[in-house]
Amino acid sequence: NKRYRQLESVNTDWLKELSRVAQVKDLQLSISGGNDDTRYYLSTSYYDEQGGYNNSWANRFTSRFNLDHNFNQDVSIGFDSSVGRSKRSKSTSSPASLIYTLQPYESVGSADFSARNPIEVSDQYFEDPFDELDGRYSELTSWRIDLNSKLNWMVTDDLSLNAKGGITYDDGENNNVIMPNRVVEEAGKLKGEG
């Protein structure tokens, strides 16, 4: 009965404990100008998001430059370029899914999650819910560069020639991270993997 009274006195709000208030920063700057024959545009932006829980975040940087020039009434050229880098991380678990596994009488920092034996539950290989959020996540990094040009030539009032060309470079890397913990190691031993 003493143990029951101890458990009864705990009422943990797991969603509150495992999540946080998300924050977003979005900064943008642009400059444009020119005259009748030459026009330019330059912009840059930075986006930073700290998600609702650990290992849930994203940041992105992009920059663009456009230039258009008229040689005369009949011939004009244009050039535009952009470069962007984005990086994001996401935990493979979310607080919303964990609160269905955790009980209100379990407490933060307790090594005694008495409601279950995680080794016997097929997909819940964690002892501490913070291990689950912080120790299993994926990170994706991507780069994109675009370079484009165009040429417009008004040969006659009824005939114009347009030429366009461009190149795009895309690169990405995705890393999945699973940090070891005691429960995963014990489950592996039970299955004969260790």
Side-chain angles (χ1 to χ4, degrees):
N1 281 343
K2 182 179 178 183
R3 179 68 176 142
Y4 178 78
R5 284 192 302 275
Q6 286 175 336
L7 293 174
E8 193 176 45
S9 68
V10 178
N11 189 15
T12 305
D13 181 349
W14 282 109
L15 184 59
K16 181 179 178 183
E17 295 295 335
L18 296 173
S19 61
R20 62 185 179 199
V21 175
Q23 297 181 9
V24 174
K25 297 174 191 163
D26 192 1
L27 308 171
Q28 299 180 19
L29 174 68
S30 65
I31 301 169
S32 61
N35 55 36
D36 289 341
D37 291 327
T38 304
R39 293 154 311 280
Y40 65 88
Y41 174 79
L42 174 65
S43 71
T44 188
S45 66
Y46 177 73
Y47 177 85
D48 181 54
E49 175 184 333
Q50 296 301 313
Y53 48 95
N54 285 347
N55 285 322
S56 170
W57 52 265
N59 60 51
R60 180 177 61 243
F61 172 79
T62 56
S63 186
R64 172 175 286 284
F65 176 69
N66 296 355
L67 178 67
D68 292 297
H69 179 70
N70 298 333
F71 286 108
N72 54 44
Q73 277 185 283
D74 300 326
V75 179
S76 65
I77 60 168
F79 173 77
D80 67 80
S81 64
S82 65
V83 62
R85 177 191 168 274
S86 67
K87 190 169 185 178
R88 64 182 168 90
S89 177
K90 185 174 189 232
S91 178
T92 56
S93 295
S94 72
S97 67
L98 287 174
I99 61 170
Y100 292 108
T101 303
L102 301 167
Q103 301 299 320
Y105 50 80
E106 297 175 313
S107 60
V108 177
S110 171
D112 182 18
F113 289 96
S114 58
R116 61 191 151 73
N117 181 347
I119 295 173
E120 294 175 1
V121 180
S122 63
D123 60 349
Q124 298 295 331
Y125 292 128
F126 65 92
E127 186 172 39
D128 183 330
F130 294 96
D131 285 347
E132 179 72 357
L133 282 178
D134 301 341
R136 297 175 66 187
Y137 59 93
S138 63
E139 286 187 354
L140 174 64
T141 304
S142 61
W143 281 92
R144 182 178 175 101
I145 300 172
D146 287 305
L147 303 171
N148 299 293
S149 61
K150 61 185 177 182
L151 171 68
N152 186 18
W153 177 24
M154 292 293 296
V155 180
T156 67
D157 288 342
D158 298 324
L159 177 66
S160 68
L161 297 176
N162 293 301
K164 295 181 181 180
I167 187 169
T168 298
Y169 170 78
D170 262 324
D171 185 30
E173 179 180 339
N174 190 15
N175 294 312
N176 291 311
V177 177
I178 300 176
M179 302 298 288
N181 65 46
R182 185 186 66 78
V183 176
V184 171
E185 290 172 7
E186 287 181 13
K189 288 176 187 174
L190 286 176
K191 292 181 178 180
E193 297 171 358

